Amino acid sequence: MRTEFVSKCFFIDVRYKTIQNSCSLPAELAIIESMEPISNILIVDDDHEIRSLLADYLGANGYHAFAAQDGIEMEKTLEREHVDLVVLDLNMPGEDGLTLCRKLRTRSSMPVIMLTARSEPIDRILGLEMGADDYLPKPFEPRELLARIRSVLRRSQATIDAVADSPIQQQMRFAGWTLDLTARHLVDPEGLAIMLSGAEFRLLKVFLEHPNRVLNRDQLLNFTHGRDADPFDRSIDIQISRLRQKLNEDARSPQIIKTVRNGGYVLAVPVMAGTTP
């Protein structure tokens, strides 16, 4: 007999919680464990029950899971362990998820999945603005979080593998800026390195691979996330806004990534590929 975790959702103190109870299933109906390399996942949530249940669930599905109740424990774990992805709750006492995500982004492009409250859609927007790679509203099925984790890790690894397989093209230069494909960061005209989230890196790389081509939201979301856009999904717009800020663009009249009315977005400058000096 194997164990599968089943979600039951409750609304407690104006916050959704996801409680997983275990029930026995025949071995032939159990979830098949992934054959992908084992990754380390850090769960940061002030709710002990959610931390423990998610850690157990991810462990049962082939991941090494670490848990932290706040930013202090998160930093200690990151110093002690190699972590491939962080699952970060937004609503925590003290330093909240937005603050912690912003701090991570100042020094790392490690993938971050933000857990947000369904009743507060602005939280999702803020999470993406702080550099989260994906978000998941509470309450949620653990299997959906598992699917999001696998998807984000695959995209991250695919980008690393693509760079490793193409040693000749290690940089992409445009309008005085350079995207370093090996270090996965942006370099400004003065030579200062600027950190990018995984989502920002993939999005900018897509634009640089398709210069002077208008790309709509569906195309950009498919290129970067492997899924179609929801009619109310503004994640691409938010990530483009963040890229423009990092490129020091005038929001009212951007010259590098331009908006095409009723069309999408276009990278409107030449691109040159090269190697690291």
Side-chain angles (χ1 to χ4, degrees):
M1 305 291 283
R2 298 289 299 277
T3 298
E4 179 186 18
F5 290 93
V6 180
S7 255
K8 290 187 178 179
C9 301
F10 296 89
F11 190 73
I12 301 175
D13 296 331
V14 200
R15 289 182 59 193
Y16 278 102
K17 293 178 65 178
T18 300
I19 307 298
Q20 291 83 26
N21 294 330
S22 63
C23 64
S24 294
L25 291 177
E28 60 271 18
L29 296 180
I31 298 174
I32 299 174
E33 294 184 357
S34 171
M35 298 303 292
E36 298 175 355
I38 295 176
S39 298
N40 295 334
I41 311 298
L42 174 58
I43 303 159
V44 186
D45 196 306
D46 63 304
D47 189 301
H48 173 74
E49 189 171 25
I50 290 178
R51 288 198 312 272
S52 298
L53 290 168
L54 288 180
D56 289 344
Y57 183 78
L58 293 176
N61 281 274
Y63 292 95
H64 286 153
F66 305 101
Q69 68 177 352
D70 54 26
I72 295 175
E73 288 192 3
M74 181 188 81
E75 293 293 347
K76 289 180 179 178
T77 302
L78 291 175
E79 291 176 2
R80 185 177 66 249
E81 308 287 350
H82 169 75
V83 174
D84 298 294
L85 181 145
V86 177
V87 177
L88 183 59
D89 183 42
L90 188 147
N91 297 312
M92 293 190 295
E95 288 188 308
D96 62 13
L98 294 176
T99 302
L100 296 177
C101 186
R102 183 170 59 245
K103 285 185 174 181
L104 281 174
R105 282 292 162 259
T106 62
R107 64 179 192 271
S108 172
S109 59
M110 181 190 310
V112 174
I113 295 178
M114 189 79 77
L115 304 181
T116 68
R118 174 178 293 173
S119 58
E120 301 172 14
I122 188 62
D123 286 348
R124 306 183 200 179
I125 296 174
L126 291 173
L128 291 169
E129 286 181 343
M130 291 300 104
D133 294 87
D134 205 347
Y135 58 83
L136 188 61
K138 293 182 178 181
F140 59 86
E141 285 282 347
R143 285 175 294 183
E144 183 175 1
L145 175 60
L146 181 64
R148 297 290 184 98
I149 288 173
R150 286 174 173 166
S151 178
V152 170
L153 287 175
R154 278 198 300 268
R155 294 196 304 266
S156 179
Q157 188 59 48
T159 303
I160 294 172
D161 291 344
V163 173
D165 292 340
S166 303
I168 296 178
Q169 183 176 310
Q170 296 176 351
Q171 293 184 340
M172 302 181 81
R173 302 185 180 91
F174 61 102
W177 296 78
T178 301
L179 181 65
D180 190 315
L181 302 179
T182 303
R184 293 167 61 85
H185 62 220
L186 186 62
V187 180
D188 73 8
E190 284 72 44
L192 179 66
I194 299 171
M195 295 304 303
L196 298 173
S197 71
E200 292 164 355
F201 175 83
R202 290 190 298 272
L203 182 59
L204 181 55
K205 186 169 181 286
V206 166
F207 276 120
L208 295 176
E209 290 172 342
H210 303 84
N212 300 307
R213 174 182 167 186
V214 177
L215 300 170
N216 61 36
R217 289 188 185 89
D218 279 332
Q219 291 172 313
L220 291 170
L221 205 54
N222 265 311
F223 278 132
T224 58
H225 289 74
R227 58 185 172 89
D228 293 330
D230 181 280
F232 302 102
D233 191 336
R234 313 305 295 179
S235 59
I236 289 296
D237 304 285
I238 294 167
Q239 288 162 7
I240 287 174
S241 176
R242 282 180 55 82
L243 279 178
R244 284 171 170 168
Q245 290 175 18
K246 292 185 176 183
L247 291 168
N248 297 328
E249 289 258 69
D250 183 345
R252 293 170 296 180
S253 181
Q255 299 301 305
I256 298 177
I257 302 176
K258 294 187 176 183
T259 301
V260 178
R261 188 174 181 180
N262 298 323
Y265 299 95
V266 60
L267 185 87
V269 295
V271 178
M272 294 181 61
T275 59
T276 304

